[in-house]
Amino acid sequence: MVEITWLGHGAFQFRLESGEVIVMDPWIEGNPMYPKGHTFSRVDAILITHGHYDHIHDAVPLAKRFSPKVVAIYETCDWLGKKGVGNLMPMNKGGTQRVGPLTLTMTHAVHSCGILDDGKIIYGGEAAGYVLRFEGRNSVYFSGDTNVFADMELIRELYHPELAFLPVGGLFTMGPKEAAMASRLLRPKKLIPMHFGTFPDLAGRPEQIESADTEVWTLEPGQAVEW
Ligand code: NI
Ligand code: MN
């Protein structure tokens, strides 16, 4: 069993039965959808898909507070290291590594990855996604910010994800039409929509995803669900 909590926007918390907490793309301060009352008691790993502020904003403070392992693409890890983050586990697309109880593979994403730092945009490598494997479970695809791309079919052939986290809000990522195509390419049992409703411009909604074979599993920010 894995407990999944949506922290609003592109941020999620996974809590394993063994107690470990894994945080995806932490954005707390300034996140309009961050659930009131949510606090962290431990963080064992932080996984970052790309360097945009709405995915990385709280990686540095959380890393300094809990000293978790921190995974990101090589250039973003370099930037995090310069900000004083330790326990970095840089990687790149196609690579696989073990992070505590989790095995993860970095995948492609169709998006940008500049890091806004003191008014300048710094090269952060490329935007990426992850395939996560929790022990004894089928794999999970966490796309990060991306448009749909045909190589999602390779992700299905290689990893057969049971669960896919996909953005649906549009404007900065794919919207519902593209998410429906992504689910046809990936064929997960369930699709967890993210990156919508945070701002009025992220107008795509889960109920607009027309996908016959995949269940759209829409979470409420702050409400823990079991998978
Ligand atoms: Ni982004
Ligand atoms: Mn984003």
Side-chain angles (χ1 to χ4, degrees):
M1 189 271 288
V2 179
E3 185 199 81
I4 303 171
T5 308
W6 189 22
L7 303 180
H9 200 61
F12 287 83
Q13 171 184 286
F14 298 125
R15 188 191 300 275
L16 309 191
E17 266 171 296
S18 46
E20 280 105 334
V21 172
I22 294 137
V23 182
M24 311 298 295
D25 282 354
W27 180 31
I28 302 168
E29 195 197 325
N31 177 354
M33 300 289 277
Y34 186 76
K36 285 178 187 65
H38 179 271
T39 53
F40 292 99
S41 51
R42 66 185 277 186
V43 177
D44 298 272
I46 297 173
L47 274 52
I48 292 163
T49 61
H50 67 295
H52 289 161
Y53 79 95
D54 56 324
H55 298 259
I56 205 172
H57 187 278
D58 287 275
V60 174
L62 271 186
K64 287 186 175 166
R65 187 167 152 214
F66 293 105
S67 302
K69 293 175 171 134
V70 180
V71 182
I73 207 159
Y74 179 82
E75 291 83 358
T76 295
C77 272
D78 184 73
W79 180 84
L80 288 165
K82 289 182 177 128
K83 297 292 167 188
V85 175
N87 298 326
L88 290 163
M89 301 184 74
M91 65 191 303
N92 217 314
K93 296 171 187 182
T96 295
Q97 61 179 335
R98 205 174 161 81
V99 179
L102 190 66
T103 304
L104 54 93
T105 301
M106 185 171 270
T107 64
H108 191 45
V110 176
H111 195 68
S112 59
C113 190
I115 304 170
L116 188 61
D117 185 347
D118 201 17
K120 291 197 191 77
I121 289 185
I122 306 219
Y123 180 67
E126 289 191 359
Y130 292 99
V131 171
L132 314 172
R133 270 149 296 181
F134 298 97
E135 265 159 34
R137 301 300 304 264
N138 291 330
S139 64
V140 173
Y141 171 50
F142 191 93
S143 75
D145 285 5
T146 186
N147 188 15
V148 64
F149 51 97
D151 286 358
M152 284 180 172
E153 210 170 338
L154 296 181
I155 293 173
R156 168 176 58 83
E157 285 191 23
L158 285 163
Y159 313 112
H160 306 286
E162 180 181 318
L163 202 57
F165 291 73
L166 296 174
V168 300
L171 190 60
F172 293 104
T173 66
M174 66 171 108
K177 182 182 170 76
E178 294 80 12
M181 175 61 75
S183 84
R184 282 196 285 279
L185 295 171
L186 292 159
R187 291 189 220 150
K189 277 205 186 100
K190 294 185 183 188
L191 185 172
I192 294 184
M194 59 183 182
H195 217 277
F196 67 92
T198 322
F199 310 109
D201 281 348
L202 306 188
R205 288 293 177 271
E207 50 276 19
Q208 297 170 311
I209 304 170
E210 289 176 24
S211 65
D213 302 322
T214 297
E215 179 193 334
V216 178
W217 189 16
T218 306
L219 308 187
E220 284 295 318
Q223 198 174 81
V225 296
E226 289 183 3
W227 172 69

